[in-house]
Amino acid sequence: MSDEVWDHEDEYAVAERIDTAHADNPRLAAWLAEQQDRFDGWNHRHGGGWDFTERSLDRMEALVREHVTSVDDLFAREHTPMIQVACWYVGEVHNRTCGTEWRMDPEPADTHPWSKRPYVIVPFTRLHEYEDAEGIDYDARPQHHPLSGFLDLVREQPTTRNGSLRSELDDYEPDTGTSGTRHRP
């Protein structure tokens, strides 16, 4: 970004344009369709009964810990159906529980590997509910890359109890003190 000063409307317009591009693009549509198509088989292979509830995230933690042994193992298996559908599933739980939406950079940068991965974020229309405490970031909406939640699981000590994936849902509580669209089971 250059040294020119952006007024509030310009910054808002830029943030909205980026959000719109990340929300509606062929890369995201193809990834979502692929994971949805794979889900029935994945569900069957992994015990069935995956219901997209908050409680199912504890089961997902156990599944990831059972099949992934380290950070290197996770990255080696990142593009397999097991991990990709698991990422989609976790994002869908966020969407259905907290009202987030999928995003993916339509033109990811090779120098930024996370820009190649899908993520979930609060809709842009709720931007005003989230403020950066330090006043640095204009767009302070929480976002989650499901794969990063899996990284945290395989980095943790084996004695860590379940709830890490579920605790990510707490990030979506708006700064206004309201409970948003979240309903705990």
Side-chain angles (χ1 to χ4, degrees):
M1 186 160 164
S2 69
D3 290 334
E4 71 185 85
V5 176
W6 292 74
D7 64 25
H8 181 75
E9 281 186 5
D10 287 336
E11 192 170 46
Y12 180 91
V14 168
E16 185 176 35
R17 189 170 39 255
I18 290 169
D19 187 77
T20 300
H22 284 216
D24 184 20
N25 65 74
R27 285 188 73 238
L28 177 60
W31 185 82
L32 289 172
E34 183 177 26
Q35 304 329 308
Q36 289 167 344
D37 289 346
R38 291 174 168 173
F39 178 69
D40 285 340
W42 183 96
N43 180 36
H44 180 72
R45 278 187 303 282
H46 298 290
W50 292 90
D51 61 4
F52 298 96
T53 62
E54 181 177 343
R55 290 176 201 233
S56 69
L57 294 177
D58 294 339
R59 186 176 171 202
M60 180 62 73
E61 284 189 29
L63 181 71
V64 170
R65 287 181 171 151
E66 176 185 341
H67 290 276
V68 180
T69 59
S70 67
V71 170
D72 290 339
D73 185 33
L74 179 62
F75 283 125
R77 300 178 64 196
E78 177 182 358
H79 298 290
T80 65
M82 190 277 180
I83 298 299
Q84 288 297 294
V85 175
C87 285
W88 172 79
Y89 182 87
V90 169
E92 284 298 307
V93 172
H94 284 236
N95 292 349
R96 296 169 192 206
T97 304
C98 301
T100 57
E101 298 173 347
W102 282 108
R103 299 292 189 266
M104 184 184 278
D105 193 331
E107 298 176 12
D110 287 334
T111 57
H112 190 290
W114 286 98
S115 71
K116 297 177 183 181
R117 296 176 174 107
Y119 62 96
V120 292
I121 191 168
V122 172
F124 192 78
T125 56
R126 293 178 48 206
L127 176 75
H128 66 282
E129 295 177 22
Y130 300 90
E131 294 180 20
D132 178 16
E134 287 111 25
I136 297 169
D137 289 325
Y138 176 75
D139 185 349
R141 295 173 297 157
Q143 69 177 27
H144 284 282
H145 291 81
L147 188 71
S148 70
F150 297 167
L151 280 171
D152 290 341
L153 294 178
V154 297
R155 284 183 183 141
E156 292 176 1
Q157 299 299 321
T159 57
T160 301
R161 60 179 248 259
N162 283 351
S164 294
L165 292 178
R166 198 189 310 194
S167 70
E168 290 177 349
L169 299 173
D170 295 337
D171 292 347
Y172 298 111
E173 295 295 328
D175 295 335
T176 60
T178 63
S179 62
T181 59
R182 180 147 184 233
H183 304 283
R184 292 185 84 96

